[in-house]
Amino acid sequence: MIAVLTTGNGGIELGRIAIPQLGPESVLIKVIVAAQNPTDWKTVANFKKKGNVVGCDFAGVVEQLGPNIEGEQIQVGQRVAGFVHGGIKSNGSFAQYLVAPAHMLIKIPSHLSFEQAAQVPIAASTAYSCLYKSLSLPLMSDSDRNVSTTILIWGGNTSVGRFTLQLAKMSGIQHIITTSSSQNFDSLRQLGATEVFDYHDSRAGEKIHSSTGGSLRMAVDCISEGTTPYQVSTALSAAGGTVAVINPYVSLKNGVETVFTLGYTLLGDAFEFPIIYEPEPKQVEVGRKMSKMVAGLLADQKIQLGPVKIIPRGLAGVVEGFDYMKRGAVSGEKIVYRIAETPSVDS
Ligand SMILES: NC(=O)c1ccc[n+]([C@@H]2O[C@H](COP(=O)([O-])OP(=O)(O)OC[C@H]3O[C@@H](n4cnc5c(N)ncnc54)[C@H](OP(=O)(O)O)[C@@H]3O)[C@@H](O)[C@H]2O)c1
């Protein structure tokens, strides 16, 4: 099959590689659309092994079932979205085929295109982990429920932030503060934010602290690098609080606990990134619950998806997509590649 492969020196190239082997509890997928996340280029830059298949998020069609997936209600021909741990082995979403764990597949409802669905898996599962695992918020239920907590979602216009805002609102949180560029304030209010601050303002953290009367105890940092560890900690109460972080850091402010979430742990495999993560059955269960919940919300049209930016020439466009993302041009959109547009590659 054709795939985007690591060159071993921080670069990528289009090449040919064997279709990955189907194992137990997994499914072979024909990838129709792959979506790009910052982790794709960061993994290529940091893990310099040659011949790994790049890319995590995908939407595609179930081609073949592996053993032991009876309980997952997956059938050949079904339209599904999901993610794999791309860039570290010979299985990734920037390819014509991939093997994915059955428990993480999100069924795509008929009203959604493959392009729209491909943007969902990593962003939604990270939002889910931050709110319900790291911050231990109660899972949303069908009943009307108000949670009197105030939450700060720093970086509301990121892919992760847009899902976190919507899940927080559906979970009944009444007061949701977020940050973005000023031109995106209205769009984030539509997703559930009650107050929005401009993150370019170096005093945004202090302003949030004042506006909450120094009472804020809970945050999700959807950036977790650069100045945001300082800004988010400043926004919190003098007594501290808990911050769900998605790039690991320790806050320098007394009383602030950071809880790191790594979406890949939901896949249920052992991996090195860069430390060794052992598989945990508990995480597989979290991943299964997340996929079912997100599939239900998509089917009920309760999630508002953002625009996609289709980079032409399929997998041959990934170099351009990486450049676009690395120079910070992504704003509230998801880069996607249509695999069928990829030009042929010699063996
Ligand atoms: N641990 C995990 O499992 C996990 C999972 C997913 C992502 N991540 C990490 O999370 C980060 C975000 O990923 P993503 O895909 O959600 O991002 P993304 O969609 O590429 O984020 C782009 C957005 O970031 C916003 N932004 C940039 N700098 C900001 C700042 N200083 N404060 C607030 N907002 C800022 C911009 O908002 P405006 O357009 O309003 O300017 C822009 O729209 C990345 O570092 C990624 O590697 C980790």
Side-chain angles (χ1 to χ4, degrees):
M1 65 174 185
I2 298 175
V4 175
L5 302 171
T6 55
T7 55
N9 57 3
I12 51 172
E13 63 189 358
L14 208 51
R16 283 192 174 271
I17 189 168
I19 292 175
Q21 292 282 312
L22 194 52
E25 289 148 21
S26 61
V27 168
L28 181 69
I29 307 282
K30 179 177 184 190
V31 185
I32 308 294
V33 172
Q36 184 174 301
N37 290 280
T39 189
D40 299 326
W41 71 262
K42 290 181 187 176
T43 304
V44 170
N46 292 321
F47 295 84
K48 295 192 176 129
K49 225 183 108 198
K50 189 174 163 60
N52 290 339
V53 181
V54 182
C56 300
D57 268 336
F58 66 87
V61 176
V62 175
E63 188 88 357
Q64 201 184 332
L65 306 178
N68 311 336
I69 61 157
E70 293 73 23
E72 307 290 353
Q73 296 169 336
I74 301 288
Q75 286 151 19
V76 170
Q78 220 161 29
R79 300 162 81 235
V80 291
F83 71 92
V84 292
H85 197 160
I88 61 160
K89 53 190 171 188
S90 50
N91 188 40
S93 69
F94 294 176
Q96 291 175 310
Y97 294 90
L98 59 78
V99 167
H103 74 277
M104 288 293 287
L105 295 178
I106 299 167
K107 288 175 197 156
I108 305 176
S110 56
H111 67 273
L112 286 185
S113 66
F114 287 112
E115 286 79 2
Q116 288 169 308
Q119 68 178 277
V120 173
I122 285 199
S125 55
T126 308
Y128 182 102
S129 292
C130 286
L131 292 176
Y132 307 119
K133 273 175 58 197
S134 302
L135 297 181
S136 307
L137 285 172
L139 272 172
M140 67 184 76
S141 71
D142 289 334
S143 59
D144 281 341
R145 197 158 51 80
N146 293 335
V147 180
S148 59
T149 325
T150 297
I151 193 169
L152 166 63
I153 298 172
W154 189 281
N157 203 37
T158 59
S159 301
V160 174
R162 295 173 71 85
F163 278 94
T164 310
L165 280 171
Q166 296 181 74
L167 293 184
K169 178 152 190 244
M170 283 186 266
S171 299
I173 298 183
Q174 293 293 290
H175 192 192
I176 304 175
I177 302 170
T178 195
T179 60
S180 73
S181 296
S182 54
Q183 70 271 20
N184 300 316
F185 284 9
D186 285 346
S187 126
L188 298 188
R189 284 197 187 100
Q190 263 183 23
L191 296 183
T194 40
E195 270 186 279
V196 194
F197 292 81
D198 190 337
Y199 66 81
H200 298 95
D201 179 353
S202 60
R203 296 190 58 241
E206 287 165 55
K207 288 182 178 171
I208 294 167
H209 184 90
S210 303
S211 99
T212 51
S215 66
L216 182 69
R217 299 303 301 264
M218 195 187 283
V220 180
D221 187 346
C222 299
I223 299 291
S224 297
E225 57 192 4
T227 58
T228 74
Y230 169 76
Q231 293 269 41
V232 172
S233 292
T234 304
L236 289 171
S237 149
T242 309
V243 188
V245 304
I246 56 179
N247 290 305
Y249 71 80
V250 174
S251 172
L252 298 176
K253 178 168 168 171
N254 275 343
V256 176
E257 184 201 7
T258 55
V259 186
F260 175 52
T261 199
L262 184 59
Y264 299 128
T265 56
L266 305 182
L267 296 170
D269 288 335
F271 62 95
E272 208 175 324
F273 198 68
I275 59 166
I276 292 175
Y277 290 81
E278 296 295 345
E280 279 183 56
K282 215 169 67 186
Q283 300 290 5
V284 168
E285 211 31 61
V286 173
R288 180 176 286 117
K289 264 195 188 156
M290 180 283 301
S291 318
K292 287 209 162 56
M293 187 183 95
V294 172
L297 293 173
L298 291 175
D300 295 343
Q301 304 197 32
K302 287 190 172 156
I303 297 263
Q304 211 173 303
L305 299 177
V308 294
K309 178 181 172 64
I310 301 166
I311 300 223
R313 301 178 63 241
L315 298 174
V318 174
V319 171
E320 181 189 334
F322 274 16
D323 285 347
Y324 186 85
M325 189 172 253
K326 283 187 208 172
R327 63 172 193 268
V330 170
S331 177
E333 66 196 336
K334 199 78 180 167
I335 292 174
V336 299
Y337 305 98
R338 290 175 170 147
I339 307 302
E341 291 181 6
T342 309
S344 178
V345 171
D346 293 337
S347 308

